[in-house]
Amino acid sequence: MAINLTKGQKIDLRKTTGESLTNFCVGVNWGAIETKGFLGLSKKVQNIDLDLSCILIDENNTICDHLYSPLYRVDVLQQFGLPKGKLITVDGAMKHTGDDLEGDTGGDDGLDNEIITVDLNRIAANVSQIFFFLNNAGREDFSQIPYSKIRMYEGTPTQVKSEFASYNVSAEAQYAGKQSIIMGKLYKRNNEWKFSAIGDPTEDTFLGQTIHRIVRSYL
């Protein structure tokens, strides 16, 4: 039975068998905005481009690696002191499936739109925290997006074998004006990895602002 996380909840990465969860996917699923026209005779679909990203923090509370879309403009990233985006960590332990520019249309298809695969056994020894966050590349806020969910599961980017935990962000009024969400973090405690569901929405309109916020307020 998958764990339905609540804001601020912390969990051990242990399966019901007692084994540690070490090789898994972190995926985010979201829906496009669909509105009906006059008398419901037509339907308008507005694609939503969310970006799942993560930064890896070392024992000195310094960013030591990152995964975010290579489509971000380098000149804008440089204004925040950030390097070009990439899809594989230096140690090869984490891989991003790439940018989904649309979101689900016609309802939830059951698959995640953007996924980061994680092999904790290969994570560099100096990494102590890994933050996952979402930014909207468009102008919509999270109160307008019908659903958004982050989950951890065993399997592959195209096949879910066993869902371990999920954290759901529904379209609610509290997300009005919020264009990014710091979803959660993996963190190491006594050489054992755990997960914390953060779920903090922000007004950040660019990934660089969110990364600066994490470094300033969450380390």
Side-chain angles (χ1 to χ4, degrees):
M1 182 71 69
I3 303 169
N4 290 315
L5 295 167
T6 57
K7 183 180 174 70
Q9 185 177 354
K10 296 177 172 61
I11 58 170
D12 294 328
L13 298 185
R14 291 202 173 275
K15 297 184 276 187
T16 53
T17 59
E19 297 175 279
S20 295
L21 184 71
T22 58
N23 206 309
F24 54 91
C25 296
V26 176
V28 172
N29 188 31
W30 69 87
I33 299 173
E34 300 186 20
T35 54
K36 291 185 178 181
F38 182 67
L39 298 178
L41 298 177
S42 63
K43 183 173 68 173
K44 180 181 178 183
V45 176
Q46 181 179 340
N47 293 332
I48 300 296
D49 180 10
L50 299 185
D51 293 325
L52 171 64
S53 308
C54 73
I55 53 172
L56 290 75
I57 307 296
D58 67 17
E59 296 157 341
N60 298 315
N61 282 345
T62 302
I63 297 174
C64 56
D65 208 347
H66 67 279
L67 291 180
Y68 49 76
S69 175
L71 300 180
Y72 282 113
R73 286 173 48 187
V74 174
D75 59 325
V76 180
L77 289 167
Q78 287 175 342
Q79 295 175 22
F80 293 87
L82 297 172
K84 179 178 173 60
K86 60 190 180 74
L87 301 178
I88 303 177
T89 54
V90 172
D91 55 24
M94 300 177 66
K95 298 179 182 179
H96 196 302
T97 54
D99 215 342
D100 183 304
L101 306 177
E102 299 180 353
D104 291 348
T105 59
D108 188 351
D109 63 5
L111 294 175
D112 295 328
N113 301 88
E114 293 190 12
I115 300 150
I116 294 174
T117 59
V118 181
D119 184 351
L120 292 178
N121 292 322
R122 296 176 61 192
I123 295 283
N126 66 321
V127 175
S128 62
Q129 300 181 82
I130 304 169
F131 285 86
F132 297 88
F133 49 98
L134 277 177
N135 293 91
N136 187 1
R139 300 192 177 189
E140 309 79 19
D141 61 43
F142 276 89
S143 70
Q144 300 169 279
I145 300 170
Y147 58 86
S148 178
K149 180 174 77 171
I150 185 171
R151 64 176 173 175
M152 302 164 64
Y153 66 89
E154 292 183 279
T156 67
T158 56
Q159 184 176 21
V160 179
K161 180 181 176 183
S162 176
E163 187 172 309
F164 179 74
S166 65
Y167 180 69
N168 201 30
V169 179
S170 301
E172 297 179 7
Q174 63 176 311
Y175 297 121
K178 310 295 187 181
Q179 289 186 262
S180 74
I181 297 181
I182 302 170
M183 300 290 281
K185 70 173 181 177
L186 289 165
Y187 65 101
K188 195 159 51 176
R189 184 70 51 83
N190 298 323
N191 285 321
E192 188 172 326
W193 285 97
K194 302 176 184 292
F195 184 79
S196 173
I198 298 172
D200 288 346
T202 82
E203 300 87 0
D204 302 334
T205 57
F206 184 67
L207 163 135
Q209 296 168 307
T210 307
I211 291 177
H212 279 202
R213 183 185 299 272
I214 291 170
V215 171
R216 184 177 64 248
S217 304
Y218 290 82
L219 301 186

